[in-house]
Amino acid sequence: MPRDYYEVLGIAKTATQDEIKKAYRSLAKKYHPDVSTEAKEVAEAKFKEISEAYEILSDEEKRKLYDQYGHDGVKNSFGQDGFSWDDFTRADDISDIFGDIFGGMFGGRGRGRSRSSAQQGDSLRYDLEISLEDVLNGKKVNLDIPHAILCDACKGTGGKDGKVTTCKTCGGQGQVQRVARSPFGNMVTVSECPDCRGRGKTSEEKCPNCRGSGRVTKEAKISLNIPKGIEDGMRLRVAGEGNAGYNGGPAGDLYVVIHVKDDKTFDRDGANLWTGITASYPKLVIGGEEKVKTLEGETVMLKIPAGTDVGTVLRIPGKGLPRMNSSSRGDLMVRVSVNVPKKVSAEVRELLMKLDETAGAKAKSKSKKSGIRKTIEDIKDNL
Ligand SMILES: [Zn+2]
Ligand SMILES: [Zn+2]
């Protein structure tokens, strides 16, 4: 059976709320385990006892029940094993005495990451546009990328000449706890300390160079090799070139995201490139050669076999894009279409009419899917 709560706090049964609070504060100062001259176990037990008494007597409703029925009247205020720190709702009443030391009594529940401990800096993203030629040849780029670095003048502390003191509001923890009562029990919420913005340290005079933030923005000179064959959307990581870390933590990384510009002449399909040529109708029928420009700007002669359909895809091996981390290259795929003249001379017109008569007589009537309508996927399936 716990001791009488009035006796614990050393007050009369008629004490006002102010007197109760005053008594609790002075006892809390005496018995807080971090400041008490008593043995730690004794001090902890004492501190818990006065806190339990205060929890009940500082609440007028609970106090009434206690006055009427004694300990039995308020036993439902606590869990099965009696009063525990989870039941304590008055942390704010004494937090100004002890600051964050008191928060430690709650066993550190809900503690989030704080900037008062070493923490990696933020990573940065940079979007870089390159051409298809850059994918073919690879590229060395020099980038100027602004990132946050520690202020040299204050060594990142934010105080003038580097002078800082432990933040009084959070006791150097970088965060503050609040205990709030809810239908599900006491909720401990942890938030960044508003006075030191999570750093745990404050300064009387701010560093003029960084205006107290401890960081300045500087352009990083980054020299980066874009490898041959890189794909659209790939990210290149540059370690340590993101923003500076906190409290001695490492800097974040820089991610360069690659965007390959669309090309007027070539479409990309992995390591293969696609392009098109037009040939005359006679050349498709009897065969011949046609000039094709490659991505590197060479002109190659492509052989058109006799009887080539419109929409046929011919392949020039090794004239596509390099594969990453490999010496092999993809192919250049050339789709053939027919060149239909808009105007012809009378002579040509006569020849064409004759041709049409002969062709018409020989042609068998059969329905067939037009080659022109084939999609890239259809053609790929047939390769
Ligand atoms: Zn500074
Ligand atoms: Zn603080």
Coordinates of all heavy atoms in Angstrom, one line a residue, residues 269-307:
D269 N 16.8 1.6 -79.8 CA 16.2 0.5 -79.2 C 17.3 -0.4 -78.5 O 17.8 -1.3 -79.2 CB 15.4 -0.3 -80.3 CG 14.8 -1.6 -79.7 OD1 14.4 -1.6 -78.5 OD2 14.7 -2.6 -80.5
G270 N 17.6 -0.1 -77.3 CA 18.7 -0.7 -76.6 C 20.0 -0.3 -77.3 O 20.3 0.9 -77.4
A271 N 20.7 -1.3 -77.8 CA 22.0 -1.0 -78.5 C 21.8 -0.9 -80.0 O 22.7 -0.4 -80.7 CB 23.0 -2.1 -78.2
N272 N 20.6 -1.2 -80.4 CA 20.3 -1.0 -81.9 C 19.8 0.4 -82.2 O 19.1 1.0 -81.4 CB 19.3 -2.0 -82.4 CG 19.9 -3.5 -82.3 OD1 21.1 -3.6 -82.4 ND2 19.0 -4.4 -82.3
L273 N 20.1 0.8 -83.4 CA 19.6 2.1 -83.9 C 18.7 1.8 -85.1 O 18.9 0.9 -85.8 CB 20.7 3.0 -84.3 CG 21.6 3.6 -83.2 CD1 22.8 4.4 -83.9 CD2 20.8 4.6 -82.4
W274 N 17.7 2.6 -85.2 CA 16.7 2.5 -86.4 C 16.8 3.7 -87.2 O 16.7 4.8 -86.7 CB 15.3 2.2 -85.9 CG 15.1 0.8 -85.3 CD1 15.6 0.4 -84.1 CD2 14.4 -0.2 -85.9 NE1 15.3 -0.9 -84.0 CE2 14.5 -1.3 -85.0 CE3 13.7 -0.4 -87.1 CZ2 13.9 -2.6 -85.3 CZ3 13.1 -1.6 -87.3 CH2 13.2 -2.7 -86.5
T275 N 16.8 3.5 -88.5 CA 16.7 4.6 -89.4 C 15.9 4.1 -90.7 O 15.4 3.0 -90.7 CB 18.1 5.2 -89.8 OG1 17.9 6.4 -90.4 CG2 18.9 4.2 -90.6
G276 N 15.7 5.0 -91.6 CA 15.0 4.6 -92.8 C 15.6 5.1 -94.1 O 16.3 6.2 -94.1
I277 N 15.3 4.5 -95.2 CA 15.8 5.0 -96.5 C 14.6 4.8 -97.5 O 13.7 4.0 -97.2 CB 17.0 4.2 -97.1 CG1 16.7 2.7 -97.1 CG2 18.3 4.5 -96.4 CD1 17.5 2.0 -98.1
T278 N 14.6 5.6 -98.5 CA 13.6 5.4 -99.6 C 14.4 5.0 -100.8 O 15.5 5.5 -101.1 CB 12.8 6.7 -99.9 OG1 13.8 7.8 -100.1 CG2 12.0 7.1 -98.7
A279 N 13.8 4.1 -101.5 CA 14.4 3.6 -102.8 C 13.3 3.7 -103.9 O 12.1 3.8 -103.6 CB 14.9 2.2 -102.6
S280 N 13.8 3.7 -105.1 CA 12.8 3.8 -106.2 C 12.1 2.4 -106.4 O 12.7 1.4 -106.0 CB 13.5 4.2 -107.5 OG 14.4 3.1 -107.9
Y281 N 11.0 2.4 -107.0 CA 10.3 1.1 -107.2 C 11.1 0.2 -108.0 O 11.2 -1.0 -107.6 CB 8.9 1.4 -107.8 CG 8.1 0.2 -108.2 CD1 7.7 -0.7 -107.2 CD2 7.9 -0.1 -109.6 CE1 7.0 -1.8 -107.6 CE2 7.3 -1.3 -109.9 CZ 6.8 -2.1 -109.0 OH 6.2 -3.3 -109.3
P282 N 11.7 0.6 -109.2 CA 12.5 -0.3 -109.9 C 13.6 -1.0 -109.1 O 13.9 -2.2 -109.3 CB 13.1 0.5 -111.1 CG 12.1 1.7 -111.2 CD 11.6 1.9 -109.8
K283 N 14.3 -0.1 -108.2 CA 15.4 -0.7 -107.4 C 14.9 -1.8 -106.5 O 15.6 -2.8 -106.3 CB 16.1 0.4 -106.7 CG 17.5 0.1 -106.3 CD 18.2 1.3 -105.7 CE 18.9 2.2 -106.7 NZ 19.6 3.3 -106.1
L284 N 13.7 -1.6 -105.9 CA 13.2 -2.6 -105.0 C 12.9 -3.9 -105.8 O 13.0 -5.0 -105.3 CB 11.9 -2.1 -104.4 CG 12.0 -0.9 -103.4 CD1 10.7 -0.6 -102.7 CD2 13.1 -1.2 -102.3
V285 N 12.5 -3.7 -107.1 CA 12.2 -4.9 -107.9 C 13.4 -5.6 -108.4 O 13.6 -6.9 -108.2 CB 11.3 -4.5 -109.1 CG1 11.0 -5.8 -110.0 CG2 10.0 -3.9 -108.6
I286 N 14.3 -4.9 -109.0 CA 15.5 -5.6 -109.6 C 16.7 -5.6 -108.7 O 17.7 -6.2 -109.0 CB 15.9 -4.9 -110.9 CG1 16.2 -3.4 -110.8 CG2 14.7 -5.2 -111.9 CD1 16.6 -2.8 -112.1
G287 N 16.7 -4.8 -107.5 CA 17.8 -4.8 -106.6 C 18.8 -3.8 -107.0 O 18.8 -3.2 -108.1
G288 N 19.7 -3.5 -106.0 CA 20.7 -2.4 -106.3 C 21.4 -2.0 -105.0 O 21.4 -2.7 -104.0
E289 N 21.8 -0.7 -104.9 CA 22.5 -0.2 -103.7 C 21.9 1.1 -103.3 O 21.4 1.9 -104.2 CB 24.0 -0.1 -103.9 CG 24.7 -1.4 -103.7 CD 26.2 -1.1 -103.8 OE1 26.6 -0.2 -104.6 OE2 27.0 -1.9 -103.2
E290 N 21.9 1.5 -102.1 CA 21.4 2.8 -101.6 C 22.4 3.3 -100.5 O 22.9 2.5 -99.7 CB 20.0 2.6 -101.1 CG 19.1 3.8 -101.0 CD 18.9 4.4 -102.4 OE1 18.4 3.7 -103.3 OE2 19.1 5.6 -102.5
K291 N 22.6 4.6 -100.5 CA 23.5 5.2 -99.4 C 22.7 5.3 -98.1 O 21.6 5.7 -98.0 CB 23.9 6.6 -99.9 CG 24.9 6.7 -100.9 CD 25.2 8.1 -101.2 CE 26.1 8.2 -102.5 NZ 26.1 9.6 -103.0
V292 N 23.4 4.9 -97.0 CA 22.9 5.1 -95.7 C 23.9 5.8 -94.8 O 25.1 5.5 -94.8 CB 22.6 3.7 -95.0 CG1 22.0 3.9 -93.6 CG2 21.6 3.0 -95.9
K293 N 23.5 6.8 -94.1 CA 24.4 7.6 -93.2 C 24.3 6.9 -91.8 O 23.2 6.7 -91.3 CB 23.9 9.0 -93.1 CG 25.1 9.9 -93.3 CD 24.8 11.4 -93.4 CE 26.1 12.1 -93.6 NZ 26.0 13.5 -93.6
T294 N 25.5 6.7 -91.2 CA 25.5 6.1 -89.8 C 25.6 7.2 -88.8 O 25.8 8.4 -89.2 CB 26.7 5.2 -89.7 OG1 27.9 6.0 -89.8 CG2 26.8 4.1 -90.7
L295 N 25.4 6.9 -87.5 CA 25.5 7.9 -86.5 C 26.8 8.6 -86.4 O 26.9 9.8 -86.1 CB 25.2 7.2 -85.1 CG 25.1 8.1 -83.9 CD1 24.0 9.2 -84.1 CD2 24.8 7.3 -82.6
E296 N 27.9 7.9 -86.8 CA 29.2 8.6 -86.7 C 29.4 9.5 -87.9 O 30.5 10.1 -88.1 CB 30.4 7.6 -86.5 CG 30.4 6.4 -87.3 CD 30.0 5.2 -86.4 OE1 28.7 5.0 -86.3 OE2 30.8 4.4 -85.9
G297 N 28.5 9.5 -88.9 CA 28.6 10.3 -90.0 C 29.1 9.7 -91.3 O 29.3 10.4 -92.3
E298 N 29.5 8.4 -91.2 CA 30.0 7.8 -92.4 C 28.8 7.5 -93.4 O 27.7 7.4 -92.9 CB 30.6 6.4 -92.1 CG 31.5 6.3 -91.0 CD 31.8 4.8 -90.7 OE1 30.9 4.0 -90.6 OE2 33.0 4.5 -90.5
T299 N 29.2 7.3 -94.6 CA 28.2 6.8 -95.6 C 28.5 5.4 -96.0 O 29.7 5.1 -96.4 CB 28.2 7.7 -96.8 OG1 27.9 9.1 -96.4 CG2 27.1 7.3 -97.8
V300 N 27.6 4.5 -95.8 CA 27.8 3.1 -96.2 C 26.8 2.8 -97.3 O 25.7 3.3 -97.4 CB 27.7 2.1 -95.1 CG1 28.8 2.3 -94.1 CG2 26.3 2.2 -94.4
M301 N 27.3 1.9 -98.2 CA 26.4 1.5 -99.3 C 25.7 0.2 -98.9 O 26.3 -0.8 -98.5 CB 27.2 1.1 -100.6 CG 27.9 2.4 -101.2 SD 26.8 3.8 -101.4 CE 25.9 3.2 -102.8
L302 N 24.4 0.3 -98.9 CA 23.5 -0.8 -98.4 C 23.0 -1.5 -99.6 O 22.4 -0.9 -100.5 CB 22.4 -0.3 -97.6 CG 21.3 -1.3 -97.1 CD1 22.0 -2.3 -96.1 CD2 20.2 -0.6 -96.4
K303 N 23.2 -2.8 -99.6 CA 22.7 -3.7 -100.7 C 21.2 -3.9 -100.6 O 20.7 -4.4 -99.5 CB 23.4 -5.0 -100.7 CG 23.3 -5.8 -102.0 CD 24.2 -7.0 -102.0 CE 24.0 -7.8 -103.2 NZ 22.7 -8.6 -103.2
I304 N 20.4 -3.6 -101.7 CA 19.0 -3.8 -101.7 C 18.8 -5.1 -102.5 O 19.0 -5.1 -103.7 CB 18.2 -2.7 -102.4 CG1 18.7 -1.3 -101.8 CG2 16.7 -2.9 -102.2 CD1 18.0 -0.9 -100.6
P305 N 18.4 -6.2 -101.9 CA 18.2 -7.4 -102.7 C 17.0 -7.2 -103.7 O 16.1 -6.5 -103.4 CB 17.8 -8.5 -101.6 CG 18.1 -7.8 -100.3 CD 18.0 -6.4 -100.5
A306 N 17.1 -8.0 -104.8 CA 16.0 -7.9 -105.7 C 14.7 -8.4 -105.1 O 14.7 -9.3 -104.2 CB 16.3 -8.9 -106.9
G307 N 13.6 -7.8 -105.4 CA 12.3 -8.2 -104.8 C 12.1 -7.8 -103.4 O 11.4 -8.4 -102.6

